[in-house]
Amino acid sequence: MKVSRRERAPIDVVRGERVLAWAQSAEGPVGGTRDALYVPDARIPWEQVETAEWDTDFSVLRVSEVGSWGVARPVHVLTFDEPGRLLELVRERVSASIVLQRHVAIEGRRGVRVIARRAPHGDRPLSWLYEYDEGIDPDDALVRQAAGEALAAARDEVGEV
């Protein structure tokens, strides 16, 4: 389904937000504002989008939300005929939310990635998270120590105490 630039997005957004790009998916309308991605039945702030992967072969956008270790993360699978500018907006906004990303090796090349994310307004504090490589146990005391040291160094690097 081709969407006219002048056609109003059929997405209800939070007051003060404006849809910058949208497309019709098989699951319903999907759109993005400066602050969030709107998928059917959910509003996901950009800093809460862990990954957004586009499968060209099947025209599917798979959006995974940030989560906690050991807890299933919400994943949204959206199928499009024509995603239009929506994919560009998703890439730009997710990338813009990442302030810092550092990988610290713990066992060989495997380790932990410390990530700082920021909401578009910049008036909220940074969100800090860890991503553990396959085979790294976050409950291991040495891993916790390395992760804590990496977080302290990263906070120092961005001037956050």
Side-chain angles (χ1 to χ4, degrees):
M1 170 185 199
K2 200 160 197 165
V3 177
S4 164
R5 287 182 178 214
R6 296 174 190 227
E7 186 177 344
R8 186 181 182 292
I11 300 168
D12 291 326
V13 298
V14 171
R15 184 182 179 109
E17 291 187 36
R18 180 176 61 88
V19 176
L20 301 174
W22 75 279
Q24 185 66 42
S25 75
E27 297 73 23
V30 177
T33 67
R34 188 182 115 186
D35 298 328
L37 176 65
Y38 286 81
V39 298
D41 301 323
R43 176 187 182 274
I44 311 165
W46 293 116
E47 68 274 16
Q48 293 299 310
V49 175
E50 179 182 27
T51 61
E53 300 168 341
W54 176 247
D55 183 327
T56 306
D57 295 334
F58 296 99
S59 297
V60 169
L61 178 64
R62 182 181 187 86
V63 177
S64 300
E65 294 185 44
V66 170
S68 299
W69 177 258
V71 177
R73 295 177 180 160
V75 176
H76 309 273
V77 180
L78 308 154
T79 307
F80 295 91
D81 284 334
E82 295 185 35
R85 293 183 22 238
L86 181 64
L87 296 179
E88 295 169 34
L89 179 68
V90 169
R91 181 180 306 114
E92 186 272 326
R93 297 312 305 158
V94 171
S95 295
S97 75
I98 299 171
V99 174
L100 178 132
Q101 188 168 213
R102 293 287 179 270
H103 185 268
V104 176
I106 297 173
E107 296 174 7
R109 290 185 167 185
R110 295 180 305 172
V112 63
R113 188 172 314 281
V114 177
I115 304 167
R117 310 275 308 259
R118 179 181 315 252
H121 293 294
D123 57 348
R124 293 183 227 153
L126 293 177
S127 297
W128 291 92
L129 37 126
Y130 298 115
E131 281 184 9
Y132 299 95
D133 292 337
E134 188 71 32
I136 297 296
D137 180 5
D139 292 326
D140 180 283
L142 292 175
V143 171
R144 283 197 313 270
Q145 179 181 347
E149 290 170 2
L151 175 61
R155 285 183 178 223
D156 185 54
E157 187 174 332
V158 297
E160 188 178 273
V161 181

